[in-house]
Amino acid sequence: MFASLIRFRQGRCSVVLLAFSFVALSVSQRSAQAAEEGFQAIFDGKSLEKWDGNPKFWRVEDGTITGQTTKENPTDGNTFLIWRGGDTADFELKLEYRIVGGNSGVQYRSFEVPDKKWVVGGYQGDFEAGDMYSGILYGERFRGILALRGQKTVIGADHKPKQVGTVGDSAQIQAKIKKEDWNSYEIAAKGFHFVHKINGVTTAECIDEDTEQRRASGILALQLHAGPAMKVQFRNIQLKQLKGKKSAERAGETKKIAFIAGKKSHGYAAHEHRAGCLLLAEALNANVPGVYAEVYTDGWPQNPSVLDDAATIVVYADGGEGHPLNAHLEDFDRLMKKGVGLVCIHYAVEVPKGPSGEKFLDWAGGYFEPHWSVNPHWEAKYKQFPDHEIARGVKPFVINDEWYYHMRFRENMEDVTPILTDVPPASTLSRPDGPHSGNKFVRQEAGQPQHMAWACERPDGGRGFGFTGGHVHWNWGNNNFRKLILNAIVWTAKLPVPPEGITSQPLTVEQLEANQDEPAEPDHNPARVQKMLDQWNREPAAN
């Protein structure tokens, strides 16, 4: 009997050793897979090391981070467990959660509220014991609900989200969430594009274009909500830190495009610098890998250091004596000597003759010189384009705008390539002579081809582009008009322009109406704008 017991124990030991070896192999394989994917566990399953919260509410229980309030131990306001392992910028997060009563969430790119311990605000991936809010994007102390469940939203300069699509039906998403049981939660933040998933199902998606209030980085925290008694638990918390926009740019993987949008100018739907820049920036962020676009409004940035890391700078503003660069020629020249690109749109191509004009010849290859150039409104017909990256995918189009022409270019057009060329009609010289309306020099060239857009290359390696259209805001709805500018911006940033050009989604009347500086005029007719869009999209020559 003793011998039999020994044999049994020996056999059991072999089984245990075999099982242990199998578990160790499985753990090793999982660890290798996690390492390969770049995820790191930020909770060790045993302690709250690198986590900071009120010990009255947070503890480790059965290998989980547990937050709990009771009737006898309530929290006065929402309280958070903050991860002290570093900020989150661009990242992917995976965890499992279980909640009984109340609601909770995961804070990311967030901030600690001054003078309030363990109180946090910022982006939050919500979940709850109820049936409505699990998976939404909420802004704790930070603009409120940013995307409800099932929504795809864009947050604009007015700090408010606008639904632009759907990612699913809210009730169907809720049906896949387990009550008082474990669910997986995933959050991805890349640039200013945020995606939430529960149990592998996308619950909300948001693009934050609110350049004034959006956050590029911040802390990670877990929420315990004030109110009725509740218990929330977290486990298997894994974080994959991606290269955020600053570090990625330093590594040469991401390039910043800075827009300088001028101050309020003309009336409704004219010289809409801010609205036009926001449309172009949105198209770049949504359609061009390897870039992120920022819009700085009201002219020269109050903090000019925001331009230091730009690959190219787009200026869309009133020009002449009020041009935002006139007072900063030397500072801007230092950027240009680093090889930074420059794009000037419409009135921004005009500067006074003299120091500003000479710099613009260097930087952009040409400019509007008063008493030399003219600024009539007329219908241009662009039928042929040069073999240049900026013209890729651009098809012939006809459009009415305030097309300046007879620019002052570098002598012999040195390193300057015309991009848009047409012969202005005689009616464009019907006005009397003046600083913008006419002069003997332009009249001598009546009936000759003129260039309304051009590209240049500089000895410092930088690239410039000038474009004289852009007075009429609705023209951004013309796909070719818009594509040409997007191509030029990308080219000046020294990024490749694809063979079909930069393709962006057609704009709606509502998108064109958004973010304008002035309220709509009484005679504004959206149907007329829609008719123009339909015509541009219908005619082969317009697309």
Side-chain angles (χ1 to χ4, degrees), residues 94-133:
K94 297 180 180 181
L95 58 79
E96 293 177 299
Y97 75 89
R98 177 168 61 187
I99 187 168
V100 178
N103 65 80
S104 179
V106 181
Q107 282 278 318
Y108 58 92
R109 292 193 185 177
S110 297
F111 55 90
E112 294 182 71
V113 177
D115 303 323
K116 290 183 179 291
K117 196 169 186 181
W118 302 308
V119 179
V120 170
Y123 300 106
Q124 178 168 297
D126 256 33
F127 59 89
E128 59 162 346
D131 297 327
M132 185 177 296
Y133 297 110

Side-chain angles (χ1 to χ4, degrees), residues 515-526:
N515 302 311
Q516 293 199 41
D517 292 330
E518 303 291 346
E521 296 175 347
D523 62 349
H524 170 55
N525 184 357

Side-chain angles (χ1 to χ4, degrees), residues 19 44 73 137-138 174 180 208 232 258 264 288 301 411 493 503:
D44 61 13
N73 185 36
L137 174 56
Y138 179 69
Q174 178 63 41
E180 299 187 3
D208 194 346
V232 62
K264 291 182 180 180
V288 183
E411 190 172 356
T503 301

Side-chain angles (χ1 to χ4, degrees), residues 201-221:
V201 177
T202 299
T203 60
E205 184 175 352
C206 176
I207 296 173
D208 194 346
E209 295 181 351
D210 180 2
T211 56
E212 182 180 344
Q213 294 193 9
R214 67 187 184 183
R215 295 181 56 81
S217 64
I219 61 175
L220 179 73

Side-chain angles (χ1 to χ4, degrees), residues 232-414:
V232 62
Q233 294 178 297
F234 302 87
R235 69 183 185 189
N236 297 332
I237 308 174
Q238 297 182 71
L239 179 66
K240 180 179 181 179
Q241 293 273 31
L242 307 175
K243 288 184 177 179
K245 63 183 186 181
K246 291 291 184 186
S247 60
E249 185 180 350
R250 286 193 294 269
E253 296 177 4
T254 302
K255 293 194 175 185
K256 175 178 176 178
I257 295 170
F259 284 81
I260 297 177
K263 299 179 183 294
K264 291 182 180 180
S265 178
H266 290 44
Y268 184 69
H271 287 225
E272 290 290 350
H273 306 132
R274 174 172 166 267
C277 286
L278 289 170
L279 288 172
L280 294 170
E282 178 182 352
L284 291 165
N285 286 331
N287 297 285
V288 183
V291 307
Y292 65 97
E294 298 272 14
V295 178
Y296 306 103
T297 58
D298 291 326
W300 184 258
Q302 292 185 355
N303 176 15
S305 67
V306 297
L307 305 177
D308 291 346
D309 54 357
T312 193
I313 298 169
V314 182
V315 185
Y316 190 15
D318 282 355
E321 296 292 343
H323 198 292
L325 301 189
N326 286 336
H328 307 279
L329 294 178
E330 296 307 318
D331 290 335
F332 204 77
D333 193 49
R334 282 191 283 272
L335 294 173
M336 296 292 99
K337 283 183 167 59
K338 290 166 50 179
V340 176
L342 174 63
V343 172
C344 293
I345 300 175
H346 197 50
Y347 201 177
V349 302
E350 181 188 334
V351 289
K353 184 178 181 180
S356 293
E358 293 302 315
K359 290 297 186 185
F360 267 61
L361 287 176
D362 290 341
W363 300 340
Y367 73 103
F368 183 111
E369 180 184 302
H371 298 288
W372 175 267
S373 309
V374 289
N375 67 348
H377 284 260
W378 55 288
E379 186 177 77
K381 300 177 175 64
Y382 299 118
K383 301 177 181 178
Q384 294 182 322
F385 308 99
D387 183 13
H388 194 284
E389 286 186 68
I390 291 175
R392 288 182 176 175
V394 179
K395 299 177 181 178
F397 65 101
V398 177
I399 200 162
N400 193 298
D401 208 322
E402 186 181 29
W403 291 110
Y404 308 163
Y405 69 86
H406 200 244
M407 298 295 104
R408 173 67 77 181
F409 290 112
R410 292 176 182 169
E411 190 172 356
N412 299 321
M413 299 290 286
E414 183 179 0

